[in-house]
Amino acid sequence: MYCRILINGVVQGIGFRPFVYNIALKHNLKGYVLNRGDAGVEILVKGSKSQIENFIFSLKNHKPTLARYETFVIEYNPSPSSSDHKTFEIAPSSLTRGSAGSYIPPDLPICEKCITEMKSDPRRVNYPFTSCVDCGPRYTVITSLPYDRPRTVMEEFPLCPDCLVEYKNPADRRFHAQTTCCWNCGPRYYLLDKFGNVIFDKEDFQNNWLDVAKILDEGNIIAIKGIGGTHLASCTVNDDPILKLRRWKGARGDKPFAVMSSNLDRVRIFAEYSPAEAQLLQSLTRPILLLEKKHDFPLSPFISPRLHNIGVLLPYAGIHFLLSENITDPALIMTSGNPSNIPILIENEEIQQQLSSVADYFLLHDRQIYQRADDSVMRFHKVNEEGYPLLIRRSRGYVPEPIQLPWTSSNITVLALGAEMYNVGALGIGGRCFPTQHIGHMTTIENVDFFNSTIEHMKELLGIKSLDALGGDLHPQFLTTQKGQQLASENNIPFFQFQHHFAHLGALALDAKVDPQEKIICVALDGTGYGEDGTIWGGEILYGNYSEYKRLAHLEKQILLGGDQAISQPYRVLLGILLSDFSLEDITAEFKRIPWLSWIPQTSSYPLIGKQLEKIMFHRSSGGFHKTSSCGRLLDAISVLLGAAKNRTYEGEPAIKLESFAEKALDKSISLEFKLSSITTADGMVEIQTSPLIHNIWEYICRNYQRERIALAAEKAIARKFAEVALDLANKHGASKIGMSGGVCYNRVIFTEFYEYISKYGNANSIISHKRIPCGDGGIAIGQVPLIQAKLV
């Protein structure tokens, strides 16, 4: 008898056909297995009923580690085959697509067996592109489906006779491994100096690669083309190359650099990690993970200035192992090779042109990167012994894996455009959401082009021909908003706009797999989100589900003196708050008296700000000024007041430095009292008063309390107040689930204090949190997808 099996899920790019081939032979079956154009697999087997049943049992219960089945359709005695199958074979791929849709796995780190071969196999000793069915690039090299070598950038590198033997051998782990290659047939690296002169070419790299490690040891910066883009690499003990990188990056300011170590033992030299964090570092996603610095931090202080933590990742490509194992320093700087707000560079000529003013050398290879992908970034929190791995940036190692949507039977296809900062796009097709890799800030033509090309590539991979609807942010000036309006007009489909923090609610509910009908309490804390009332939101307590949502509470609205200038110069927010209780003369006198605040009256803009403040004082009104309920801006103001930061040179800097400042508190067990009250406004909204908090901090400063201790206590007070109000509102509205979203989630003190309070005074089972979707703006587009679909189902 015959049996046809159609499987969708993750079944291409993981050695699935070789797996099927071998178990078919084991059960003495005839027929074929082939890849389909929708990334699924079709199997036809001929044999007895018991043979086929045993085969299906093996398919379901002994599948490869990376395989995932989302649909498994069995059809006995299908239409007769056109040929009599006398053997079992891996048949040529078909372009046929079904309605279920599958997906290829993300790029995978080099496996231990391949690392061993890089030290022992004559054809692969020190060969940087060594890979097999269990490892190597996937998403960044594939050009179209089904996943076969001719549809990847490896088409340019025909297999040598030895590799071909492995590729065709069912007993070899490179059996149908599409990216396999060796020194004789694969891509190669070559080294150039900053002027483009060849130091050693592709033929010489095999014998000279150790020179690259020596060049790094000498304090040079090397632009290294990798799997999903280019890194700028340098040593980590010598300050000079790191300062050179900072000068060149310009707009980056004090933003920390990530470092790469060859193994966990070397990481232990400069950072602390828990078993859970070690597991994340070694996982298949190989993210950059924020770890706490050792007290006697031996690396340059300019890597992550005035921070208590450092971003660390382990090698995931062969070239990383070669270099990180052979340098003197315990780690390498590995920062993205691109000017600020420009996509990571992937073309050799462009890499040389754009980076020649910072890189001393270029280590390039001749394999095309079809899709760029930045490293993913994570942070790990612990609450009551439970671990919370939080994604900051979801990119390499995750994309193009989907996230399950609440409507599994929906045939609606939508595109979410996200917001502006740290943006990704997301496609919703059927019951799954497919986020793109990290795009970045949608403020440059280059990033917009990157966004457009990535969406088109994912649509092609997923077989999407048309869209039913679009979604984006409420902000009228975002480029994503303008693009949504344009696409909606061109395709005659609706474009739905969602307030920024309602998308955070959608992302949190989706991440926690909340039932579509159930309403949750979402505490959305971040820096900026254009509000429905025209003010800037960012300290919100929301209630709802995917189809209905409303704002229940928020922080007290504070004045943003100078509008956007108050974001880059957060002392402006501080001045606006202090004015409610103090005169300008008193504020100025106190600033001059306090060493870490004496710089404020000396700023060139202070006289103008003073006039604005006097106007407010005279009229006792803030009419005509921008206002915000942002928690991010509140933390910025506290950071300035306590001397943890001055201006903002990168996104979130004052608040990030405030957290590190608080970590230095001498006695973390002793808390301080803060007056954080709440009132009910005329429109029935709960408003958490923040001016008294700033005044309390001012009083503690005047009483000479340790500033770090004040910072820690203030962060805890903010978290507790939000938790208290959230619990009250949950009880009032009958919500059984409470969670937090937004960029403030990455603050360890606020996150842990919030969830510990909810667990202690509420119901531990009511807690929901992010784990698979970024808490910050990298999750906005993902949260928009179910909100769009809810408008249509």
Tab-separated table of all heavy atoms in Angstrom, residues 135-169:
chain	number	residue	atom	x	y	z
A	135	CYS	N	24.370	22.675	11.864
A	135	CYS	CA	24.860	24.016	12.191
A	135	CYS	C	25.082	24.844	10.926
A	135	CYS	O	24.941	24.349	9.809
A	135	CYS	CB	26.159	23.928	13.005
A	135	CYS	SG	27.584	23.285	12.094
A	136	GLY	N	25.439	26.092	11.154
A	136	GLY	CA	25.755	26.986	10.039
A	136	GLY	C	24.622	27.927	9.688
A	136	GLY	O	23.530	27.867	10.250
A	137	PRO	N	24.857	28.822	8.739
A	137	PRO	CA	23.851	29.823	8.369
A	137	PRO	C	22.662	29.206	7.652
A	137	PRO	O	22.788	28.208	6.956
A	137	PRO	CB	24.630	30.772	7.452
A	137	PRO	CG	25.720	29.927	6.881
A	137	PRO	CD	26.103	28.971	7.970
A	138	ARG	N	21.509	29.808	7.823
A	138	ARG	CA	20.292	29.409	7.124
A	138	ARG	C	19.620	30.664	6.541
A	138	ARG	O	19.691	30.929	5.369
A	138	ARG	CB	19.328	28.674	8.080
A	138	ARG	CG	19.867	27.384	8.686
A	138	ARG	CD	20.069	26.281	7.674
A	138	ARG	NE	20.317	24.988	8.297
A	138	ARG	CZ	21.506	24.521	8.652
A	138	ARG	NH1	22.574	25.279	8.495
A	138	ARG	NH2	21.635	23.307	9.162
A	139	TYR	N	19.001	31.444	7.424
A	139	TYR	CA	18.227	32.597	6.969
A	139	TYR	C	19.072	33.598	6.195
A	139	TYR	O	18.603	34.185	5.217
A	139	TYR	CB	17.583	33.283	8.181
A	139	TYR	CG	16.811	34.535	7.845
A	139	TYR	CD1	15.620	34.465	7.115
A	139	TYR	CD2	17.260	35.791	8.241
A	139	TYR	CE1	14.910	35.612	6.800
A	139	TYR	CE2	16.554	36.938	7.939
A	139	TYR	CZ	15.380	36.845	7.212
A	139	TYR	OH	14.689	37.988	6.899
A	140	THR	N	20.306	33.807	6.601
A	140	THR	CA	21.126	34.840	5.958
A	140	THR	C	21.650	34.428	4.588
A	140	THR	O	22.155	35.276	3.853
A	140	THR	CB	22.316	35.218	6.854
A	140	THR	OG1	23.027	34.037	7.214
A	140	THR	CG2	21.851	35.934	8.111
A	141	VAL	N	21.541	33.136	4.227
A	141	VAL	CA	22.091	32.682	2.939
A	141	VAL	C	21.029	32.235	1.954
A	141	VAL	O	21.306	32.098	0.762
A	141	VAL	CB	23.106	31.532	3.134
A	141	VAL	CG1	24.284	31.993	3.973
A	141	VAL	CG2	22.451	30.291	3.743
A	142	ILE	N	19.797	32.008	2.428
A	142	ILE	CA	18.783	31.462	1.534
A	142	ILE	C	18.210	32.565	0.647
A	142	ILE	O	17.923	33.671	1.099
A	142	ILE	CB	17.675	30.762	2.342
A	142	ILE	CG1	16.755	29.988	1.407
A	142	ILE	CG2	16.895	31.744	3.186
A	142	ILE	CD1	15.799	29.068	2.134
A	143	THR	N	18.061	32.247	-0.633
A	143	THR	CA	17.517	33.217	-1.590
A	143	THR	C	16.049	32.945	-1.895
A	143	THR	O	15.293	33.870	-2.184
A	143	THR	CB	18.323	33.194	-2.900
A	143	THR	OG1	18.299	31.857	-3.447
A	143	THR	CG2	19.770	33.598	-2.650
A	144	SER	N	15.645	31.670	-1.849
A	144	SER	CA	14.252	31.309	-2.082
A	144	SER	C	14.026	29.886	-1.596
A	144	SER	O	14.973	29.180	-1.230
A	144	SER	CB	13.887	31.436	-3.575
A	144	SER	OG	14.663	30.529	-4.358
A	145	LEU	N	12.767	29.477	-1.592
A	145	LEU	CA	12.409	28.120	-1.188
A	145	LEU	C	12.023	27.302	-2.416
A	145	LEU	O	11.624	27.869	-3.434
A	145	LEU	CB	11.234	28.170	-0.207
A	145	LEU	CG	11.551	28.727	1.185
A	145	LEU	CD1	10.255	28.862	1.994
A	145	LEU	CD2	12.546	27.847	1.915
A	146	PRO	N	12.123	25.971	-2.329
A	146	PRO	CA	12.541	25.166	-1.184
A	146	PRO	C	14.039	25.274	-0.909
A	146	PRO	O	14.812	25.705	-1.760
A	146	PRO	CB	12.149	23.746	-1.577
A	146	PRO	CG	12.143	23.757	-3.064
A	146	PRO	CD	11.687	25.132	-3.463
A	147	TYR	N	14.417	24.855	0.304
A	147	TYR	CA	15.788	25.020	0.768
A	147	TYR	C	16.689	23.953	0.148
A	147	TYR	O	16.744	22.815	0.598
A	147	TYR	CB	15.820	24.932	2.291
A	147	TYR	CG	17.209	25.074	2.889
A	147	TYR	CD1	17.933	26.250	2.732
A	147	TYR	CD2	17.789	24.036	3.602
A	147	TYR	CE1	19.200	26.384	3.286
A	147	TYR	CE2	19.046	24.164	4.166
A	147	TYR	CZ	19.747	25.336	3.994
A	147	TYR	OH	20.998	25.475	4.539
A	148	ASP	N	17.377	24.327	-0.920
A	148	ASP	CA	18.375	23.491	-1.585
A	148	ASP	C	19.571	24.370	-1.901
A	148	ASP	O	19.437	25.602	-2.025
A	148	ASP	CB	17.821	22.889	-2.880
A	148	ASP	CG	16.745	21.843	-2.619
A	148	ASP	OD1	17.015	20.899	-1.849
A	148	ASP	OD2	15.638	21.990	-3.167
A	149	ARG	N	20.714	23.778	-2.074
A	149	ARG	CA	21.934	24.544	-2.327
A	149	ARG	C	21.800	25.534	-3.484
A	149	ARG	O	22.252	26.681	-3.372
A	149	ARG	CB	23.115	23.588	-2.560
A	149	ARG	CG	24.486	24.276	-2.473
A	149	ARG	CD	25.593	23.237	-2.668
A	149	ARG	NE	26.931	23.805	-2.563
A	149	ARG	CZ	27.668	23.800	-1.458
A	149	ARG	NH1	27.184	23.272	-0.354
A	149	ARG	NH2	28.879	24.326	-1.458
A	150	PRO	N	21.156	25.153	-4.609
A	150	PRO	CA	21.016	26.122	-5.717
A	150	PRO	C	20.190	27.352	-5.347
A	150	PRO	O	20.226	28.352	-6.065
A	150	PRO	CB	20.319	25.305	-6.810
A	150	PRO	CG	20.647	23.879	-6.493
A	150	PRO	CD	20.651	23.816	-4.997
A	151	ARG	N	19.435	27.284	-4.252
A	151	ARG	CA	18.628	28.430	-3.826
A	151	ARG	C	19.245	29.119	-2.616
A	151	ARG	O	18.548	29.756	-1.832
A	151	ARG	CB	17.194	27.985	-3.536
A	151	ARG	CG	16.479	27.451	-4.775
A	151	ARG	CD	15.051	27.028	-4.456
A	151	ARG	NE	14.422	26.456	-5.623
A	151	ARG	CZ	14.494	25.164	-5.969
A	151	ARG	NH1	15.173	24.329	-5.201
A	151	ARG	NH2	13.903	24.713	-7.056
A	152	THR	N	20.537	28.968	-2.474
A	152	THR	CA	21.287	29.690	-1.452
A	152	THR	C	22.495	30.336	-2.118
A	152	THR	O	22.806	30.053	-3.280
A	152	THR	CB	21.793	28.748	-0.337
A	152	THR	OG1	22.864	27.946	-0.841
A	152	THR	CG2	20.687	27.860	0.187
A	153	VAL	N	23.187	31.179	-1.380
A	153	VAL	CA	24.378	31.817	-1.937
A	153	VAL	C	25.507	30.808	-2.122
A	153	VAL	O	26.510	31.112	-2.782
A	153	VAL	CB	24.856	32.974	-1.042
A	153	VAL	CG1	23.785	34.043	-0.945
A	153	VAL	CG2	25.234	32.483	0.358
A	154	MET	N	25.360	29.586	-1.601
A	154	MET	CA	26.373	28.542	-1.795
A	154	MET	C	26.338	27.973	-3.209
A	154	MET	O	27.206	27.172	-3.573
A	154	MET	CB	26.168	27.424	-0.773
A	154	MET	CG	26.450	27.824	0.667
A	154	MET	SD	28.127	28.470	0.908
A	154	MET	CE	29.099	26.999	0.605
A	155	GLU	N	25.367	28.393	-4.002
A	155	GLU	CA	25.318	27.970	-5.403
A	155	GLU	C	26.608	28.352	-6.129
A	155	GLU	O	27.028	27.682	-7.083
A	155	GLU	CB	24.121	28.628	-6.093
A	155	GLU	CG	23.961	28.240	-7.559
A	155	GLU	CD	22.850	29.013	-8.237
A	155	GLU	OE1	22.465	30.080	-7.722
A	155	GLU	OE2	22.374	28.553	-9.291
A	156	GLU	N	27.251	29.427	-5.670
A	156	GLU	CA	28.476	29.895	-6.319
A	156	GLU	C	29.691	29.026	-5.997
A	156	GLU	O	30.765	29.235	-6.560
A	156	GLU	CB	28.767	31.334	-5.880
A	156	GLU	CG	27.663	32.322	-6.222
A	156	GLU	CD	27.957	33.704	-5.668
A	156	GLU	OE1	29.133	33.982	-5.366
A	156	GLU	OE2	27.015	34.498	-5.523
A	157	PHE	N	29.513	28.043	-5.103
A	157	PHE	CA	30.641	27.224	-4.675
A	157	PHE	C	30.309	25.746	-4.881
A	157	PHE	O	29.862	25.058	-3.965
A	157	PHE	CB	30.957	27.502	-3.195
A	157	PHE	CG	31.254	28.944	-2.905
A	157	PHE	CD1	30.251	29.806	-2.455
A	157	PHE	CD2	32.529	29.459	-3.090
A	157	PHE	CE1	30.523	31.125	-2.185
A	157	PHE	CE2	32.801	30.787	-2.826
A	157	PHE	CZ	31.795	31.625	-2.379
A	158	PRO	N	30.535	25.228	-6.105
A	158	PRO	CA	30.262	23.806	-6.380
A	158	PRO	C	31.086	22.902	-5.466
A	158	PRO	O	32.234	23.196	-5.140
A	158	PRO	CB	30.692	23.641	-7.849
A	158	PRO	CG	30.682	25.026	-8.414
A	158	PRO	CD	31.044	25.945	-7.291
A	159	LEU	N	30.475	21.812	-5.059
A	159	LEU	CA	31.141	20.885	-4.153
A	159	LEU	C	32.315	20.189	-4.836
A	159	LEU	O	32.218	19.766	-5.985
A	159	LEU	CB	30.149	19.834	-3.657
A	159	LEU	CG	29.011	20.344	-2.768
A	159	LEU	CD1	27.965	19.258	-2.574
A	159	LEU	CD2	29.551	20.805	-1.429
A	160	CYS	N	33.403	20.063	-4.107
A	160	CYS	CA	34.550	19.295	-4.596
A	160	CYS	C	34.212	17.807	-4.510
A	160	CYS	O	33.242	17.418	-3.858
A	160	CYS	CB	35.797	19.621	-3.786
A	160	CYS	SG	35.724	19.060	-2.064
A	161	PRO	N	34.976	16.919	-5.161
A	161	PRO	CA	34.660	15.478	-5.121
A	161	PRO	C	34.529	14.921	-3.705
A	161	PRO	O	33.622	14.120	-3.432
A	161	PRO	CB	35.840	14.857	-5.870
A	161	PRO	CG	36.288	15.922	-6.815
A	161	PRO	CD	36.095	17.212	-6.078
A	162	ASP	N	35.388	15.334	-2.789
A	162	ASP	CA	35.318	14.815	-1.422
A	162	ASP	C	34.052	15.277	-0.713
A	162	ASP	O	33.397	14.493	-0.012
A	162	ASP	CB	36.541	15.257	-0.620
A	162	ASP	CG	37.818	14.567	-1.074
A	162	ASP	OD1	37.716	13.415	-1.537
A	162	ASP	OD2	38.890	15.174	-0.988
A	163	CYS	N	33.707	16.551	-0.862
A	163	CYS	CA	32.477	17.065	-0.234
A	163	CYS	C	31.239	16.431	-0.866
A	163	CYS	O	30.238	16.184	-0.183
A	163	CYS	CB	32.419	18.584	-0.342
A	163	CYS	SG	33.484	19.458	0.830
A	164	LEU	N	31.307	16.172	-2.161
A	164	LEU	CA	30.176	15.561	-2.850
A	164	LEU	C	29.921	14.143	-2.345
A	164	LEU	O	28.762	13.731	-2.193
A	164	LEU	CB	30.429	15.549	-4.358
A	164	LEU	CG	29.245	15.155	-5.249
A	164	LEU	CD1	28.079	16.106	-5.044
A	164	LEU	CD2	29.667	15.134	-6.716
A	165	VAL	N	30.996	13.416	-2.059
A	165	VAL	CA	30.851	12.066	-1.497
A	165	VAL	C	30.126	12.144	-0.161
A	165	VAL	O	29.209	11.362	0.126
A	165	VAL	CB	32.233	11.397	-1.336
A	165	VAL	CG1	32.118	10.130	-0.497
A	165	VAL	CG2	32.819	11.062	-2.703
A	166	GLU	N	30.524	13.104	0.703
A	166	GLU	CA	29.863	13.281	1.990
A	166	GLU	C	28.400	13.679	1.798
A	166	GLU	O	27.508	13.186	2.507
A	166	GLU	CB	30.573	14.354	2.809
A	166	GLU	CG	31.991	14.005	3.206
A	166	GLU	CD	32.747	15.186	3.792
A	166	GLU	OE1	32.348	16.340	3.538
A	166	GLU	OE2	33.741	14.951	4.487
A	167	TYR	N	28.146	14.555	0.853
A	167	TYR	CA	26.810	15.074	0.603
A	167	TYR	C	25.848	13.970	0.170
A	167	TYR	O	24.652	14.018	0.465
A	167	TYR	CB	26.889	16.157	-0.479
A	167	TYR	CG	25.601	16.876	-0.787
A	167	TYR	CD1	25.199	17.969	-0.034
A	167	TYR	CD2	24.781	16.463	-1.834
A	167	TYR	CE1	24.016	18.635	-0.322
A	167	TYR	CE2	23.599	17.123	-2.124
A	167	TYR	CZ	23.220	18.211	-1.368
A	167	TYR	OH	22.046	18.861	-1.654
A	168	LYS	N	26.389	12.958	-0.516
A	168	LYS	CA	25.545	11.885	-1.043
A	168	LYS	C	25.509	10.646	-0.156
A	168	LYS	O	24.788	9.690	-0.450
A	168	LYS	CB	26.025	11.487	-2.446
A	168	LYS	CG	25.796	12.545	-3.502
A	168	LYS	CD	26.232	12.053	-4.877
A	168	LYS	CE	25.907	13.072	-5.971
A	168	LYS	NZ	26.312	12.573	-7.312
A	169	ASN	N	26.283	10.657	0.920
A	169	ASN	CA	26.401	9.480	1.772
A	169	ASN	C	25.350	9.520	2.889
A	169	ASN	O	25.424	10.360	3.788
A	169	ASN	CB	27.800	9.417	2.378
A	169	ASN	CG	27.995	8.206	3.271
A	169	ASN	OD1	27.114	7.356	3.379
A	169	ASN	ND2	29.152	8.131	3.901
